[in-house]
């Protein structure tokens, strides 16, 4: 009974850890640039971001998400039980103290363990990691209690297939855009509505402390216990004691570099189509497809569609971009973090209609509007409408390409294992039956010999 209870506990912990790792690894793999930005935030908090190149952070992002996802799948199937349970335990040994530091010092707002799909506070992350640390400790202590879902013969197929799948997900998301967009600037999001504050939204609360002096004695007071005029004012300090409602989009603005005016409202309230070319840093932007961008701008000029380039770069970088690409479109300055949140490509292209995002493109798959399409307005082109594929269809695609093959492999493996078991049982029964018959025959022979002896003695 004790063995059964121990096995039950181990396998419950196994599923908790496996599913958490799979979800965490996948949502980071589907947005490797976002994970890269979070790694850079960690490095900046440690004051070592200048020592690590951006490419190294990106490689670390891809490998970390692949590691998490693979370990989760391997634990789920109980593949290399000793090795993977120890890997999970070591990872949680590293991450738990790290998240404790985040919770105490708060150098980064959220750990990014689930990307933008599920944002936890630093304390929530720490307590979550405590649970996972306990679960991985149990798995590391009794790894062989995990029930196998697939035989050793076919484990290599699961290992290779899982690694190739998750690396392909990251590669696709880097070349194009993340298949699942959990950010506030996703397709279908209306930016003006995302910036609105509800009438009944809780407001932030502040508390002011006054330092006053009297007869050489200094004391702190609040508005509730502010003393009489015999006290002399020394200093005051205001701190936020309670956060209010923060709208999903709270940092979007467009400052024209030509006039210096804020044109955010003008652009967002425009009725009709608007193109936004987004480049956090023009110094690092890919110029491989600038010809397509220039043709798009000419198309917008012909059809009176506004076209702006949003960047956080300075005038020197803008002029260099103009010199390289021949760009004639207007530039606007926008916060760097906002631009990185809007689209995971440098540059990337957005198409809005009435302030709603209806299309997003990486610089690797920009829309090409050539003749005779160049004479047609967006209302008559496919790109003038949101993509037809839904999030549900994307989930079905993952089920078909990854989950279904693993399920069929597991089913075939278990049937094969059951068939082998049935054959072994049949062989055992045959051997047992032969042994019984042999014993029965030998017993009968002994009886016959005894009868013959008795007859002879008579």
């Amino acid at each position: 009974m004790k063995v059964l209870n121990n096995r039950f506990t181990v396998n419950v912990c196994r599923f908790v850890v496996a599913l958490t790792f799979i979800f965490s690894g996948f949502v980071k793999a589907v947005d490797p640039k976002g994970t890269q930005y979070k790694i850079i935030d960690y490095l900046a908090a440690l004051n070592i971001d200048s020592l690590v190149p951006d490419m190294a952070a990106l490689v670390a992002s891809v490998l970390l998400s692949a590691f998490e996802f693979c370990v989760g799948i391997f634990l789920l199937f109980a593949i290399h039980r000793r090795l993977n349970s120890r890997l999970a335990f070591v990872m949680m040994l590293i991450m738990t103290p790290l998240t404790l530091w985040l919770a105490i010092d708060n150098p980064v707002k959220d750990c990014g363990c689930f990307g933008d799909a599920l944002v936890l506070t630093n304390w929530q992350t720490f307590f979550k990691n405590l649970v996972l640390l306990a679960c991985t400790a149990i798995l590391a202590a009794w790894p062989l209690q995990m029930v196998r879902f697939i035989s050793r013969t076919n484990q290599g197929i699961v290992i290779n297939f899982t690694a190739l799948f998750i690396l392909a997900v990251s590669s696709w998301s880097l070349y194009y855009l993340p298949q699942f967009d959990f950010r506030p600037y996703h397709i279908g999001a209306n930016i003006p509505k995302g910036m609105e504050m509800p009438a009944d939204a809780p407001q932030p609360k502040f508390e002011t402390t006054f330092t006053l002096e009297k007869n050489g004695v200094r004391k702190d007071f609040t508005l509730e216990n502010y003393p009489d005029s015999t006290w002399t004012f020394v200093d005051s300090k205001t701190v936020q004691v309670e956060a209010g409602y923060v709208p999903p989009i709270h940092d979007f603005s467009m400052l024209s570099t030509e006039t210096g005016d804020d044109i955010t409202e003008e652009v967002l309230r425009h009725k009709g189509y608007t193109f936004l070319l987004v480049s956090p840093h023009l110094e690092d932007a890919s110029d491989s497809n600038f010809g397509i961008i220039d043709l798009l701008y000419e198309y917008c000029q012909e059809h009176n569609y506004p076209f702006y380039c949003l960047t956080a770069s300075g005038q020197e970088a803008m002029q260099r971009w103009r010199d390289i690409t021949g760009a004639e479109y207007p530039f606007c300055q926008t916060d760097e973090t906002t631009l990185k949140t809007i689209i995971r490509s440098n540059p990337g292209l957005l198409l809005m209609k009435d302030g709603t995002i209806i299309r997003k493109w990486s610089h690797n798959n920009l829309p090409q509007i050539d003749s005779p399409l160049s004479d047609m307005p967006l209302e008559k082109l496919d790109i003038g409408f949101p993509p037809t594929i839904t999030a549900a269809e994307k989930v079905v695609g993952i089920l078909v390409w990854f989950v279904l093959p693993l399920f069929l492999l597991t089913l075939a493996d278990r049937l094969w294992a059951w068939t082998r078991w049935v054959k072994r049982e049949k062989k055992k029964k045959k051997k047992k039956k032969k042994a019984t018959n042999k014993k029965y025959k030998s017993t009968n022979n002994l009886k016959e010999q005894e009868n013959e002896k008795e007859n002879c003695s008579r």
Side-chain angles (χ1 to χ4, degrees), residues 121-366:
T121 66
N122 287 333
W123 278 111
Q124 288 173 336
T125 301
F126 171 66
F127 291 126
K128 180 263 295 180
N129 282 354
L130 280 181
V131 174
L132 291 178
L133 179 61
C135 290
T136 53
I138 291 172
L139 295 181
W142 296 284
L144 299 184
Q145 294 296 328
M146 287 188 281
V147 180
R148 292 184 188 276
F149 281 175
I150 200 161
S151 62
R152 291 182 180 178
T153 308
N154 294 317
Q155 285 182 358
I157 299 175
V158 177
I159 293 171
N160 293 325
F161 183 63
T162 300
L164 288 173
F165 169 79
I166 201 63
L167 291 175
V169 168
S170 291
S171 300
W172 175 280
S173 299
L174 283 172
Y175 190 81
Y176 297 105
L177 290 175
Q179 287 296 296
F180 298 92
D181 193 347
F182 303 106
R183 288 155 287 145
Y185 297 94
H186 58 82
I187 291 177
N190 183 275
I191 296 179
K193 286 185 178 179
M195 299 171 69
E196 291 177 356
M197 287 282 291
D200 57 347
Q203 299 298 315
K205 293 182 180 180
F206 300 89
E207 185 177 274
T208 302
T209 303
F210 302 91
T211 302
L212 304 177
E213 184 177 355
K214 181 179 180 181
N215 299 328
V217 178
R218 290 189 178 187
K219 286 187 178 181
D220 291 335
F221 300 91
T222 62
L223 288 173
E224 286 75 18
N225 64 346
Y226 198 87
D228 56 39
S229 59
T230 60
W231 288 80
T232 304
F233 175 83
V234 178
D235 193 12
S236 67
K237 182 173 64 175
T238 302
V239 295
Q240 183 174 329
V241 294
E242 188 176 321
Y245 174 80
V246 179
I249 299 174
H250 55 275
D251 48 10
F252 182 85
S253 64
M254 296 174 57
L255 187 67
S256 173
T257 59
E258 295 178 1
T259 64
D261 297 331
D262 187 334
I263 60 172
T264 309
E265 282 293 315
E266 175 189 339
V267 173
L268 294 182
R269 300 298 175 186
H270 173 74
K271 296 297 181 183
Y273 293 101
T274 301
F275 280 95
L276 298 179
L277 181 68
V278 178
S279 176
H281 294 290
L282 287 169
E283 302 91 330
D284 305 323
S286 171
D287 58 4
S288 56
N289 292 310
F290 71 87
I292 300 176
I293 298 173
D294 291 342
L295 288 174
L296 278 171
Y297 177 65
E298 292 176 8
Y299 171 82
C300 291
Q301 291 284 89
E302 293 174 5
H303 295 273
N304 295 318
Y305 300 135
F307 188 108
Y308 301 94
C309 177
L310 310 187
T311 182
S313 297
Q315 289 290 344
E316 185 179 343
M318 293 181 200
Q319 188 56 49
R320 182 176 178 274
W321 180 260
R322 290 190 184 100
D323 294 340
I324 292 174
T325 65
E328 297 179 354
Y329 37 80
F331 287 81
C332 296
Q333 287 202 304
T334 304
D335 177 69
E336 174 189 350
T337 303
T338 301
L339 297 177
K340 289 179 177 179
T341 305
I342 291 174
I343 194 166
R344 304 300 201 202
S345 178
N346 187 20
L349 185 67
L350 255 72
L351 176 60
M352 297 193 306
K353 186 177 183 181
D354 303 334
T356 298
I357 300 171
I358 63 171
R359 285 276 183 168
K360 297 171 80 170
W361 295 277
S362 159
H363 64 83
N364 290 311
N365 68 327
L366 293 169

